[in-house]
Coordinates of all heavy atoms in Angstrom, one line a residue:
M1 N 13.3 -44.8 15.2 CA 12.9 -45.0 13.8 C 11.5 -44.4 13.6 O 11.1 -44.0 12.6 CB 12.9 -46.5 13.6 CG 13.4 -47.1 12.4 SD 14.7 -46.2 11.6 CE 14.5 -46.8 10.0
I2 N 10.6 -44.5 14.7 CA 9.3 -44.0 14.5 C 9.2 -42.5 14.3 O 8.5 -42.1 13.4 CB 8.4 -44.4 15.8 CG1 8.2 -45.9 15.7 CG2 7.1 -43.7 15.7 CD1 7.6 -46.5 17.0
P3 N 10.0 -41.7 15.0 CA 10.0 -40.2 14.7 C 10.4 -39.9 13.3 O 9.9 -39.0 12.6 CB 10.9 -39.6 15.7 CG 10.9 -40.6 16.9 CD 10.7 -41.9 16.2
A4 N 11.4 -40.7 12.8 CA 11.9 -40.4 11.4 C 10.8 -40.8 10.4 O 10.6 -40.1 9.4 CB 13.1 -41.3 11.2
S5 N 10.1 -41.8 10.7 CA 9.0 -42.2 9.8 C 7.9 -41.2 9.8 O 7.3 -40.9 8.7 CB 8.4 -43.6 10.2 OG 9.4 -44.6 10.2
I6 N 7.5 -40.7 10.9 CA 6.5 -39.7 11.0 C 7.0 -38.4 10.3 O 6.2 -37.8 9.5 CB 6.1 -39.4 12.5 CG1 5.4 -40.6 13.1 CG2 5.2 -38.1 12.6 CD1 5.2 -40.5 14.6
G7 N 8.2 -38.0 10.6 CA 8.7 -36.8 9.9 C 8.8 -36.9 8.4 O 8.4 -36.0 7.7
S8 N 9.2 -38.1 7.9 CA 9.2 -38.3 6.5 C 7.8 -38.3 5.9 O 7.5 -37.8 4.8 CB 9.9 -39.6 6.2 OG 9.9 -39.9 4.8
G9 N 6.9 -38.9 6.6 CA 5.5 -39.0 6.2 C 4.8 -37.6 6.1 O 4.0 -37.3 5.2
V10 N 5.3 -36.7 6.9 CA 4.7 -35.3 6.9 C 5.5 -34.5 5.8 O 4.9 -33.7 5.1 CB 4.9 -34.7 8.3 CG1 4.5 -33.2 8.2 CG2 3.9 -35.4 9.3
L11 N 6.8 -34.6 5.7 CA 7.6 -33.8 4.9 C 7.5 -34.2 3.4 O 7.5 -33.3 2.5 CB 9.1 -33.9 5.3 CG 10.1 -33.0 4.6 CD1 9.7 -31.5 4.8 CD2 11.4 -33.2 5.1
Q12 N 7.5 -35.4 3.1 CA 7.6 -35.9 1.7 C 6.4 -35.4 0.8 O 6.6 -34.9 -0.3 CB 7.7 -37.4 1.6 CG 8.2 -37.8 0.2 CD 9.5 -37.2 -0.2 OE1 10.4 -37.0 0.6 NE2 9.6 -37.0 -1.5
P13 N 5.2 -35.4 1.3 CA 4.1 -34.8 0.5 C 4.3 -33.3 0.2 O 3.9 -32.9 -0.9 CB 2.8 -35.1 1.3 CG 3.2 -36.2 2.2 CD 4.6 -36.1 2.5
S14 N 4.8 -32.6 1.2 CA 5.1 -31.2 0.9 C 6.2 -31.0 -0.1 O 6.0 -30.1 -1.0 CB 5.5 -30.5 2.2 OG 4.6 -30.7 3.2
I15 N 7.2 -31.8 -0.1 CA 8.3 -31.7 -1.1 C 7.7 -32.0 -2.4 O 8.0 -31.3 -3.4 CB 9.4 -32.6 -0.7 CG1 10.1 -32.1 0.5 CG2 10.4 -32.8 -1.8 CD1 11.2 -33.0 1.1
N16 N 6.9 -33.1 -2.5 CA 6.3 -33.5 -3.8 C 5.4 -32.4 -4.4 O 5.4 -32.1 -5.6 CB 5.5 -34.8 -3.7 CG 6.4 -36.0 -3.5 OD1 7.6 -35.9 -3.7 ND2 5.9 -37.1 -3.0
S17 N 4.7 -31.7 -3.5 CA 3.8 -30.6 -3.9 C 4.6 -29.5 -4.5 O 4.3 -28.9 -5.5 CB 2.9 -30.1 -2.8 OG 2.2 -29.0 -3.1
L18 N 5.7 -29.1 -3.8 CA 6.6 -28.0 -4.3 C 7.2 -28.4 -5.6 O 7.4 -27.6 -6.5 CB 7.7 -27.7 -3.2 CG 7.2 -26.9 -2.0 CD1 8.3 -26.8 -1.0 CD2 6.7 -25.6 -2.4
I19 N 7.6 -29.7 -5.7 CA 8.2 -30.1 -7.0 C 7.2 -29.9 -8.1 O 7.6 -29.4 -9.2 CB 8.7 -31.5 -6.9 CG1 10.0 -31.6 -6.0 CG2 9.1 -32.1 -8.3 CD1 10.4 -33.0 -5.7
T20 N 6.0 -30.4 -7.9 CA 5.0 -30.3 -9.0 C 4.7 -28.9 -9.4 O 4.3 -28.6 -10.5 CB 3.7 -31.1 -8.6 OG1 3.2 -30.5 -7.5 CG2 4.0 -32.5 -8.4
K21 N 4.8 -27.9 -8.5 CA 4.6 -26.5 -8.8 C 5.7 -25.8 -9.4 O 5.5 -24.8 -10.1 CB 4.2 -25.8 -7.5 CG 2.9 -26.2 -6.9 CD 2.6 -25.5 -5.6 CE 1.3 -26.0 -5.1 NZ 0.9 -25.4 -3.8
R22 N 6.9 -26.4 -9.3 CA 8.1 -25.7 -9.9 C 8.5 -26.2 -11.2 O 9.4 -25.6 -11.8 CB 9.3 -25.9 -8.9 CG 9.1 -25.3 -7.5 CD 9.3 -23.9 -7.6 NE 10.6 -23.5 -8.0 CZ 11.2 -22.4 -7.9 NH1 10.6 -21.5 -7.2 NH2 12.4 -22.2 -8.3
V23 N 8.0 -27.3 -11.7 CA 8.4 -27.9 -13.0 C 7.3 -27.9 -14.0 O 6.1 -27.7 -13.7 CB 9.0 -29.3 -12.9 CG1 10.2 -29.4 -11.9 CG2 7.9 -30.3 -12.4
N24 N 7.7 -28.0 -15.3 CA 6.7 -28.1 -16.4 C 5.8 -29.4 -16.2 O 6.3 -30.4 -15.7 CB 7.4 -28.1 -17.7 CG 8.0 -26.8 -18.0 OD1 7.6 -25.7 -17.5 ND2 9.1 -26.8 -18.8
R25 N 4.7 -29.3 -16.8 CA 3.7 -30.4 -16.6 C 4.3 -31.7 -17.2 O 4.1 -32.8 -16.6 CB 2.5 -30.1 -17.4 CG 1.2 -30.3 -16.6 CD 0.0 -30.1 -17.5 NE -1.0 -30.8 -16.9 CZ -2.0 -30.3 -16.1 NH1 -2.0 -29.0 -15.9 NH2 -2.9 -31.0 -15.6
D26 N 5.0 -31.7 -18.3 CA 5.5 -32.9 -18.9 C 6.8 -33.4 -18.1 O 7.3 -34.5 -18.5 CB 5.9 -32.7 -20.3 CG 6.8 -31.6 -20.6 OD1 7.0 -30.7 -19.7 OD2 7.5 -31.5 -21.7
E27 N 7.3 -32.7 -17.2 CA 8.5 -33.1 -16.4 C 8.2 -33.6 -15.0 O 9.1 -34.0 -14.3 CB 9.5 -32.0 -16.3 CG 10.0 -31.5 -17.7 CD 10.9 -30.3 -17.5 OE1 10.8 -29.6 -16.5 OE2 11.8 -30.1 -18.4
I28 N 6.9 -33.6 -14.6 CA 6.5 -33.9 -13.2 C 6.9 -35.3 -12.9 O 7.5 -35.5 -11.8 CB 5.0 -33.6 -13.0 CG1 4.7 -32.1 -13.0 CG2 4.6 -34.2 -11.7 CD1 3.3 -31.7 -13.0
G29 N 6.6 -36.3 -13.7 CA 6.9 -37.7 -13.4 C 8.3 -37.9 -13.2 O 8.8 -38.6 -12.3
G30 N 9.1 -37.4 -14.1 CA 10.6 -37.6 -14.0 C 11.2 -36.9 -12.8 O 12.0 -37.5 -12.1
M31 N 10.7 -35.7 -12.4 CA 11.2 -35.0 -11.2 C 10.8 -35.8 -10.0 O 11.6 -35.8 -9.0 CB 10.7 -33.6 -11.2 CG 11.4 -32.7 -12.2 SD 13.2 -32.6 -11.8 CE 13.8 -32.4 -13.4
L32 N 9.6 -36.3 -9.9 CA 9.2 -37.0 -8.7 C 10.0 -38.3 -8.6 O 10.3 -38.7 -7.5 CB 7.7 -37.3 -8.8 CG 6.8 -36.1 -8.6 CD1 5.3 -36.4 -8.8 CD2 7.0 -35.4 -7.2
G33 N 10.3 -38.9 -9.7 CA 11.1 -40.1 -9.7 C 12.5 -39.8 -9.2 O 13.1 -40.6 -8.4
I34 N 13.1 -38.7 -9.7 CA 14.4 -38.3 -9.2 C 14.4 -38.0 -7.7 O 15.3 -38.5 -6.9 CB 14.9 -37.1 -10.0 CG1 15.2 -37.5 -11.4 CG2 16.2 -36.5 -9.3 CD1 15.5 -36.4 -12.4
S35 N 13.3 -37.3 -7.2 CA 13.2 -37.0 -5.8 C 13.1 -38.3 -5.0 O 13.8 -38.4 -4.0 CB 12.0 -36.2 -5.6 OG 11.7 -36.0 -4.2
S36 N 12.3 -39.2 -5.5 CA 12.2 -40.5 -4.7 C 13.5 -41.3 -4.7 O 13.9 -41.9 -3.7 CB 11.1 -41.3 -5.4 OG 11.0 -42.6 -4.8
S37 N 14.2 -41.3 -5.8 CA 15.5 -42.0 -5.9 C 16.5 -41.3 -4.9 O 17.3 -42.1 -4.2 CB 16.1 -41.9 -7.3 OG 15.2 -42.6 -8.2
L38 N 16.6 -40.0 -4.9 CA 17.5 -39.4 -4.0 C 17.2 -39.6 -2.5 O 18.0 -39.8 -1.7 CB 17.6 -37.8 -4.3 CG 18.2 -37.4 -5.6 CD1 18.0 -35.9 -5.8 CD2 19.6 -37.8 -5.6
L39 N 15.9 -39.6 -2.2 CA 15.4 -39.9 -0.9 C 15.8 -41.4 -0.5 O 16.4 -41.6 0.6 CB 13.9 -39.8 -0.7 CG 13.3 -40.1 0.6 CD1 13.8 -39.1 1.7 CD2 11.8 -40.0 0.6
S40 N 15.6 -42.3 -1.4 CA 16.0 -43.7 -1.1 C 17.5 -43.9 -0.9 O 18.0 -44.6 0.0 CB 15.5 -44.6 -2.2 OG 14.1 -44.6 -2.3
G41 N 18.2 -43.2 -1.8 CA 19.7 -43.2 -1.7 C 20.2 -42.6 -0.4 O 21.1 -43.2 0.3
A42 N 19.6 -41.5 0.0 CA 20.0 -40.9 1.3 C 19.6 -41.8 2.5 O 20.4 -41.9 3.4 CB 19.3 -39.6 1.5
N43 N 18.5 -42.5 2.4 CA 18.1 -43.4 3.5 C 19.0 -44.6 3.6 O 19.1 -45.2 4.6 CB 16.6 -43.8 3.3 CG 15.6 -42.8 3.6 OD1 15.9 -41.8 4.4 ND2 14.4 -42.8 3.1
A44 N 19.6 -45.0 2.5 CA 20.5 -46.1 2.5 C 21.9 -45.7 2.9 O 22.6 -46.4 3.6 CB 20.6 -46.8 1.1
I45 N 22.4 -44.6 2.5 CA 23.8 -44.2 2.7 C 24.0 -43.5 4.0 O 25.0 -43.7 4.7 CB 24.3 -43.2 1.5 CG1 24.3 -44.1 0.2 CG2 25.6 -42.6 1.8 CD1 24.6 -43.3 -1.0
A46 N 23.0 -42.7 4.5 CA 23.2 -41.9 5.7 C 23.5 -42.8 6.9 O 24.4 -42.4 7.7 CB 22.0 -41.0 6.0
P47 N 22.8 -43.9 7.1 CA 23.2 -44.7 8.3 C 24.6 -45.3 8.2 O 25.3 -45.4 9.2 CB 22.2 -45.9 8.3 CG 21.0 -45.3 7.5 CD 21.6 -44.4 6.5
L48 N 25.1 -45.6 7.0 CA 26.4 -46.1 6.8 C 27.5 -45.0 7.2 O 28.4 -45.2 8.0 CB 26.7 -46.5 5.4 CG 25.8 -47.7 4.9 CD1 26.1 -48.0 3.4 CD2 26.2 -49.0 5.7
I49 N 27.2 -43.8 6.7 CA 28.2 -42.7 7.0 C 28.1 -42.3 8.5 O 29.1 -42.1 9.2 CB 27.8 -41.5 6.1 CG1 28.1 -41.8 4.7 CG2 28.6 -40.2 6.6 CD1 27.7 -40.8 3.7
G50 N 26.8 -42.3 9.0 CA 26.7 -42.0 10.5 C 27.4 -43.1 11.3 O 28.0 -42.7 12.4
G51 N 27.3 -44.3 11.0 CA 28.0 -45.4 11.7 C 29.5 -45.2 11.7 O 30.2 -45.4 12.7
L52 N 30.0 -44.9 10.5 CA 31.5 -44.7 10.4 C 31.9 -43.5 11.3 O 33.0 -43.6 11.9 CB 31.9 -44.4 8.9 CG 31.8 -45.6 8.0 CD1 32.0 -45.2 6.6 CD2 32.7 -46.7 8.4
I53 N 31.2 -42.4 11.2 CA 31.5 -41.2 12.1 C 31.4 -41.6 13.5 O 32.2 -41.2 14.4 CB 30.6 -40.0 11.7 CG1 30.9 -39.6 10.3 CG2 30.7 -38.9 12.7 CD1 29.9 -38.6 9.7
F54 N 30.4 -42.4 13.9 CA 30.2 -42.8 15.3 C 31.4 -43.6 15.7 O 31.9 -43.4 16.8 CB 28.9 -43.7 15.4 CG 28.6 -44.2 16.7 CD1 27.9 -43.4 17.6 CD2 29.1 -45.4 17.1 CE1 27.6 -43.9 18.9 CE2 28.8 -45.9 18.4 CZ 28.0 -45.1 19.3
Q55 N 31.9 -44.6 14.9 CA 33.0 -45.4 15.3 C 34.3 -44.6 15.4 O 35.1 -44.8 16.3 CB 33.2 -46.5 14.3 CG 32.4 -47.7 14.5 CD 32.8 -48.9 13.6 OE1 33.1 -48.6 12.4 NE2 32.8 -50.1 14.1
A56 N 34.5 -43.7 14.5 CA 35.7 -42.9 14.4 C 35.8 -41.8 15.5 O 36.9 -41.6 16.0 CB 35.9 -42.3 13.0
F57 N 34.7 -41.2 15.8 CA 34.8 -40.0 16.6 C 34.0 -40.0 17.9 O 34.0 -39.1 18.7 CB 34.4 -38.7 15.8 CG 35.3 -38.5 14.6 CD1 34.7 -38.7 13.4 CD2 36.6 -38.1 14.7 CE1 35.5 -38.6 12.2 CE2 37.4 -37.9 13.6 CZ 36.8 -38.1 12.4
G58 N 33.2 -41.1 18.1 CA 32.4 -41.2 19.3 C 30.9 -40.9 19.1 O 30.5 -40.5 18.0
A59 N 30.1 -41.2 20.1 CA 28.7 -41.1 20.0 C 28.1 -39.7 19.7 O 27.2 -39.6 18.9 CB 28.1 -41.6 21.3
P60 N 28.7 -38.6 20.2 CA 28.1 -37.3 19.9 C 28.4 -36.8 18.5 O 27.7 -35.9 18.0 CB 28.7 -36.4 21.0 CG 29.4 -37.2 21.9 CD 29.7 -38.5 21.3
A61 N 29.4 -37.3 17.9 CA 29.9 -36.8 16.6 C 28.8 -36.8 15.5 O 28.7 -35.7 14.8 CB 31.1 -37.6 16.1
P62 N 28.0 -37.8 15.2 CA 27.0 -37.7 14.2 C 26.0 -36.7 14.4 O 25.6 -36.0 13.5 CB 26.4 -39.1 14.1 CG 27.4 -40.0 14.8 CD 28.1 -39.2 15.8
F63 N 25.6 -36.5 15.7 CA 24.6 -35.5 16.0 C 25.2 -34.1 15.9 O 24.5 -33.2 15.4 CB 24.1 -35.8 17.4 CG 23.5 -37.1 17.6 CD1 24.2 -38.1 18.2 CD2 22.3 -37.4 17.1 CE1 23.7 -39.4 18.4 CE2 21.7 -38.7 17.2 CZ 22.5 -39.7 17.8
L64 N 26.4 -33.9 16.3 CA 27.0 -32.6 16.2 C 27.2 -32.2 14.7 O 27.0 -31.1 14.3 CB 28.4 -32.6 16.9 CG 28.3 -32.7 18.4 CD1 29.7 -32.8 19.0 CD2 27.5 -31.5 19.0
L65 N 27.6 -33.2 13.9 CA 27.8 -32.9 12.5 C 26.4 -32.6 11.8 O 26.4 -31.7 11.0 CB 28.4 -34.1 11.8 CG 28.6 -34.0 10.3 CD1 29.6 -32.9 10.0 CD2 29.2 -35.3 9.7
G66 N 25.4 -33.4 12.2 CA 24.1 -33.1 11.6 C 23.6 -31.7 12.0 O 23.0 -30.9 11.2
G67 N 23.8 -31.3 13.3 CA 23.5 -30.0 13.7 C 24.2 -28.9 13.0 O 23.7 -27.8 12.6
A68 N 25.5 -29.1 12.8 CA 26.3 -28.1 12.0 C 25.8 -28.0 10.6 O 25.8 -26.9 10.1 CB 27.8 -28.6 12.0
I69 N 25.5 -29.1 10.0 CA 25.0 -29.0 8.6 C 23.6 -28.3 8.6 O 23.4 -27.4 7.7 CB 24.8 -30.4 8.0 CG1 26.2 -31.1 7.7 CG2 24.0 -30.4 6.7 CD1 26.2 -32.5 7.4
L70 N 22.7 -28.5 9.5 CA 21.5 -27.8 9.6 C 21.7 -26.3 9.8 O 21.0 -25.5 9.2 CB 20.6 -28.4 10.6 CG 19.9 -29.8 10.3 CD1 19.2 -30.3 11.5 CD2 19.0 -29.6 9.1
A71 N 22.6 -26.0 10.7 CA 22.9 -24.6 11.0 C 23.4 -23.9 9.8 O 23.1 -22.7 9.5 CB 23.9 -24.5 12.2
A72 N 24.3 -24.5 9.0 CA 24.9 -23.9 7.8 C 23.8 -23.7 6.8 O 23.7 -22.6 6.1 CB 26.0 -24.8 7.2
C73 N 22.9 -24.7 6.6 CA 21.8 -24.6 5.6 C 20.9 -23.5 6.0 O 20.4 -22.7 5.2 CB 21.1 -25.9 5.4 SG 22.0 -27.2 4.6
S74 N 20.6 -23.4 7.3 CA 19.7 -22.4 7.8 C 20.2 -21.0 7.6 O 19.5 -20.1 7.2 CB 19.4 -22.6 9.3 OG 18.5 -21.6 9.8
S75 N 21.5 -20.8 7.9 CA 22.1 -19.5 7.7 C 22.2 -19.1 6.3 O 22.0 -17.9 5.9 CB 23.5 -19.4 8.4 OG 24.4 -20.3 7.7
W76 N 22.4 -20.1 5.4 CA 22.4 -19.8 4.0 C 21.0 -19.4 3.5 O 20.9 -18.4 2.7 CB 22.9 -21.0 3.2 CG 22.9 -20.8 1.7 CD1 23.7 -20.1 1.0 CD2 21.9 -21.4 0.8 NE1 23.3 -20.1 -0.4 CE2 22.3 -21.0 -0.5 CE3 20.9 -22.3 1.0 CZ2 21.6 -21.4 -1.6 CZ3 20.2 -22.7 -0.2 CH2 20.5 -22.2 -1.4
L77 N 20.0 -20.1 3.9 CA 18.7 -19.7 3.4 C 18.2 -18.4 4.0 O 17.4 -17.7 3.4 CB 17.7 -20.9 3.8 CG 17.8 -22.1 3.0 CD1 16.9 -23.2 3.6 CD2 17.5 -21.9 1.5
R78 N 18.6 -18.1 5.2 CA 18.2 -16.8 5.8 C 19.0 -15.6 5.4 O 18.7 -14.5 5.7 CB 18.2 -16.9 7.3 CG 17.2 -17.9 7.9 CD 17.3 -18.0 9.4 NE 16.3 -18.9 9.8 CZ 15.1 -18.5 10.3 NH1 14.8 -17.2 10.4 NH2 14.3 -19.4 10.8
S79 N 20.1 -15.9 4.6 CA 21.0 -14.8 4.2 C 20.2 -13.9 3.2 O 19.7 -14.4 2.2 CB 22.2 -15.4 3.5 OG 23.0 -14.3 2.9
P80 N 20.1 -12.6 3.4 CA 19.4 -11.7 2.5 C 20.1 -11.5 1.2 O 19.5 -11.1 0.2 CB 19.3 -10.4 3.3 CG 20.4 -10.4 4.3 CD 20.6 -11.9 4.6
S81 N 21.4 -11.8 1.1 CA 22.1 -11.7 -0.1 C 22.2 -12.9 -1.0 O 23.0 -12.9 -1.9 CB 23.5 -11.2 0.2 OG 24.2 -12.1 1.0
S82 N 21.5 -13.9 -0.6 CA 21.5 -15.2 -1.3 C 20.4 -15.2 -2.4 O 19.3 -15.6 -2.1 CB 21.4 -16.4 -0.4 OG 21.3 -17.5 -1.1
P83 N 20.8 -14.9 -3.7 CA 19.8 -15.0 -4.7 C 19.2 -16.4 -5.0 O 18.1 -16.6 -5.3 CB 20.5 -14.4 -6.0 CG 21.9 -14.5 -5.7 CD 22.1 -14.5 -4.2
A84 N 20.1 -17.4 -4.8 CA 19.7 -18.8 -5.0 C 18.6 -19.1 -3.9 O 17.6 -19.8 -4.3 CB 20.8 -19.7 -4.9
A85 N 18.8 -18.7 -2.7 CA 17.8 -19.0 -1.7 C 16.5 -18.2 -1.9 O 15.4 -18.8 -1.8 CB 18.3 -18.6 -0.3
K86 N 16.6 -17.0 -2.4 CA 15.4 -16.2 -2.8 C 14.6 -17.0 -3.9 O 13.4 -17.1 -3.8 CB 15.7 -14.8 -3.2 CG 16.2 -14.0 -2.1 CD 16.5 -12.6 -2.6 CE 17.1 -11.7 -1.5 NZ 17.6 -10.4 -1.9
K87 N 15.3 -17.4 -4.9 CA 14.6 -18.1 -6.0 C 14.0 -19.4 -5.5 O 12.9 -19.8 -5.9 CB 15.6 -18.4 -7.1 CG 15.0 -19.0 -8.4 CD 16.0 -19.2 -9.5 CE 15.4 -19.8 -10.6 NZ 16.3 -20.1 -11.7
L88 N 14.8 -20.2 -4.7 CA 14.3 -21.4 -4.2 C 13.1 -21.3 -3.3 O 12.1 -22.1 -3.4 CB 15.4 -22.1 -3.4 CG 15.1 -23.5 -2.7 CD1 14.9 -24.5 -3.8 CD2 16.2 -23.8 -1.8
L89 N 13.0 -20.3 -2.5 CA 11.9 -20.1 -1.5 C 10.8 -19.2 -2.0 O 9.8 -19.0 -1.3 CB 12.5 -19.6 -0.2 CG 13.4 -20.6 0.5 CD1 14.0 -19.9 1.8 CD2 12.7 -21.8 0.9
S90 N 10.9 -18.6 -3.2 CA 9.9 -17.6 -3.6 C 8.5 -18.2 -3.7 O 7.6 -17.6 -3.2 CB 10.3 -17.0 -4.9 OG 10.4 -18.0 -5.9
P91 N 8.3 -19.5 -4.2 CA 7.0 -20.0 -4.2 C 6.5 -20.3 -2.7 O 5.3 -20.3 -2.5 CB 7.0 -21.2 -5.0 CG 8.4 -21.5 -5.2 CD 9.2 -20.3 -4.9
V92 N 7.4 -20.6 -1.9 CA 7.0 -21.0 -0.5 C 6.5 -19.7 0.2 O 5.5 -19.7 0.9 CB 8.2 -21.6 0.3 CG1 7.9 -21.8 1.7 CG2 8.7 -22.9 -0.4
W93 N 7.3 -18.6 0.1 CA 6.9 -17.4 0.8 C 5.7 -16.8 0.2 O 4.9 -16.2 0.9 CB 8.0 -16.4 0.8 CG 9.3 -16.9 1.5 CD1 10.5 -16.7 1.1 CD2 9.4 -17.6 2.8 NE1 11.4 -17.3 1.9 CE2 10.8 -17.8 3.0 CE3 8.5 -18.0 3.7 CZ2 11.2 -18.5 4.1 CZ3 9.0 -18.7 4.8 CH2 10.3 -18.9 5.0
S94 N 5.5 -16.9 -1.1 CA 4.3 -16.3 -1.8 C 3.1 -17.0 -1.4 O 2.0 -16.5 -1.5 CB 4.5 -16.2 -3.3 OG 4.6 -17.5 -3.8
A95 N 3.2 -18.3 -1.1 CA 2.0 -19.1 -0.8 C 1.6 -19.0 0.7 O 0.6 -19.5 1.1 CB 2.2 -20.6 -1.1
A96 N 2.5 -18.4 1.5 CA 2.2 -18.3 3.0 C 1.1 -17.3 3.2 O 0.9 -16.3 2.5 CB 3.5 -17.8 3.7
P97 N 0.3 -17.6 4.2 CA -0.8 -16.7 4.6 C -0.3 -15.4 5.2 O 0.9 -15.4 5.7 CB -1.6 -17.5 5.6 CG -0.7 -18.5 6.2 CD 0.3 -18.8 5.1
P98 N -1.0 -14.3 5.1 CA -0.5 -13.1 5.6 C -0.3 -13.2 7.1 O -1.1 -13.9 7.8 CB -1.6 -12.1 5.2 CG -2.8 -12.9 4.9 CD -2.3 -14.2 4.5
A99 N 0.7 -12.4 7.6 CA 0.9 -12.4 9.0 C -0.2 -11.7 9.8 O -0.7 -10.7 9.3 CB 2.3 -11.8 9.3
I100 N -0.4 -12.2 11.0 CA -1.5 -11.6 11.8 C -0.7 -10.9 13.0 O 0.1 -11.5 13.6 CB -2.5 -12.6 12.3 CG1 -3.2 -13.2 11.2 CG2 -3.4 -12.0 13.3 CD1 -4.1 -14.4 11.6
S101 N -1.0 -9.6 13.2 CA -0.4 -8.9 14.3 C -0.9 -9.4 15.6 O -2.0 -10.0 15.7 CB -0.6 -7.4 14.2 OG -2.0 -7.1 14.5
P102 N -0.2 -9.3 16.7 CA -0.7 -9.7 18.0 C -2.0 -9.0 18.4 O -2.8 -9.7 19.0 CB 0.4 -9.3 19.0 CG 1.7 -9.2 18.2 CD 1.2 -8.8 16.8
H103 N -2.2 -7.8 18.0 CA -3.4 -7.1 18.3 C -4.6 -7.8 17.6 O -5.7 -8.0 18.1 CB -3.3 -5.6 17.8 CG -4.6 -4.9 18.0 ND1 -5.1 -4.6 19.3 CD2 -5.5 -4.3 17.2 CE1 -6.2 -3.9 19.2 NE2 -6.5 -3.7 17.9
Q104 N -4.4 -8.1 16.3 CA -5.5 -8.8 15.5 C -5.7 -10.2 16.1 O -6.9 -10.6 16.2 CB -5.1 -8.9 14.0 CG -5.1 -7.7 13.3 CD -4.5 -7.8 11.9 OE1 -3.5 -8.6 11.7 NE2 -5.0 -7.1 10.9
N105 N -4.7 -10.9 16.6 CA -4.9 -12.2 17.2 C -5.7 -12.0 18.5 O -6.5 -12.9 18.7 CB -3.5 -12.8 17.4 CG -3.6 -14.3 17.7 OD1 -4.6 -14.9 17.3 ND2 -2.7 -14.8 18.4
A106 N -5.4 -11.0 19.3 CA -6.2 -10.8 20.5 C -7.6 -10.5 20.2 O -8.5 -11.0 20.9 CB -5.5 -9.7 21.3
L107 N -7.9 -9.8 19.1 CA -9.3 -9.5 18.8 C -10.0 -10.8 18.3 O -11.2 -11.0 18.6 CB -9.3 -8.4 17.7 CG -8.9 -7.0 18.1 CD1 -8.9 -6.1 16.8 CD2 -9.9 -6.5 19.1
R108 N -9.2 -11.6 17.6 CA -9.8 -12.8 17.1 C -10.2 -13.8 18.2 O -11.2 -14.4 18.2 CB -8.9 -13.5 16.1 CG -9.4 -14.8 15.5 CD -8.4 -15.6 14.7 NE -8.1 -14.8 13.5 CZ -7.1 -15.3 12.7 NH1 -6.5 -16.4 12.9 NH2 -6.8 -14.6 11.6
T109 N -9.3 -13.9 19.2 CA -9.6 -14.9 20.3 C -10.6 -14.4 21.3 O -11.3 -15.1 21.9 CB -8.3 -15.2 21.0 OG1 -7.7 -14.0 21.5 CG2 -7.3 -15.9 20.1
S110 N -10.8 -13.0 21.4 CA -11.7 -12.5 22.4 C -13.2 -12.5 21.8 O -14.1 -12.5 22.6 CB -11.4 -11.1 22.8 OG -11.5 -10.2 21.6
A111 N -13.3 -12.6 20.5 CA -14.7 -12.6 20.0 C -15.4 -13.9 20.0 O -14.9 -14.9 20.2 CB -14.6 -12.1 18.5

């Protein structure tokens, strides 16, 4: 439970920040409310579904299913032909700092 709390505490402010950057000013409160509602619903329903999967298919099943879902989402987001992923991630990639080459990094650490 503690790792999930730490992960949520780190992830949720980032999600809220992205939401506020992607919607109009007058829609921010409503979108943050929807995000909070979906998070609360997922926190209530996921353990129930995980418990049912655990009972029906055994202990490894919920973890394998979660890994498969993450792998599918990751492959979809990394797909170069996915216009939805490009639109979804465009503010994330544009806000990222420029990449530093290994040579520049070596110069930075040696100085």
Side-chain angles (χ1 to χ4, degrees):
M1 222 38 200
I2 292 173
S5 300
I6 292 171
S8 178
V10 170
L11 185 62
Q12 195 59 36
S14 301
I15 292 172
N16 289 343
S17 176
L18 286 173
I19 289 172
T20 59
K21 291 178 182 178
R22 297 283 301 199
V23 299
N24 294 331
R25 227 184 158 102
D26 57 337
E27 297 175 336
I28 290 174
M31 287 297 151
L32 290 175
I34 291 170
S35 171
S36 178
S37 297
L38 291 173
L39 179 66
S40 297
N43 286 336
I45 294 172
L48 296 173
I49 294 172
L52 291 173
I53 293 170
F54 180 90
Q55 274 188 324
F57 302 107
F63 302 103
L64 294 173
L65 180 63
I69 291 170
L70 287 175
C73 290
S74 177
S75 66
W76 176 73
L77 288 174
R78 291 179 180 262
S79 171
S81 63
S82 173
K86 287 179 186 176
K87 183 178 179 183
L88 177 70
L89 295 175
S90 63
V92 176
W93 300 135
S94 64
I100 297 175
S101 70
H103 177 68
Q104 290 172 326
N105 194 26
L107 290 176
R108 182 188 292 177
T109 57
S110 65

